[in-house]
Amino acid sequence: MKVTNYISEAFGELKTNVTWPEWSEVQRLTIIVAVFSVIFALITFGVDKGFEVLVAKVYSFLKN
């Protein structure tokens, strides 16, 4: 009984006390997050490839 009361009160809070952003703002912020996620993924990929090349050169240097 306590769980259903809690869930009911939580939904009531969301409907009455939460200020939701406008749909256009949600779309704009979603695009910003997506763009920065792609940029961060590309930077991470570049750093990973750089370390891959660096480690391969160190191993080939030590092998000779």
Side-chain angles (χ1 to χ4, degrees):
M1 193 63 167
K2 287 184 177 182
V3 173
T4 56
N5 189 29
Y6 172 77
I7 292 173
S8 174
E9 288 179 5
F11 276 111
E13 275 295 309
L14 289 172
K15 286 182 178 179
T16 59
N17 295 339
V18 175
T19 304
W20 296 99
E22 296 292 324
W23 181 244
S24 60
E25 185 180 5
V26 172
Q27 289 175 324
R28 183 180 63 84
L29 293 175
T30 301
I31 291 170
I32 290 171
V33 168
V35 167
F36 276 103
S37 295
V38 169
I39 290 170
F40 185 74
L42 290 173
I43 290 170
T44 303
F45 176 77
V47 169
D48 184 52
K49 283 297 178 185
F51 277 121
E52 180 183 342
V53 169
L54 180 66
V55 169
K57 287 185 180 190
V58 167
Y59 279 136
S60 69
F61 176 75
L62 294 175
K63 191 174 183 182
N64 291 334

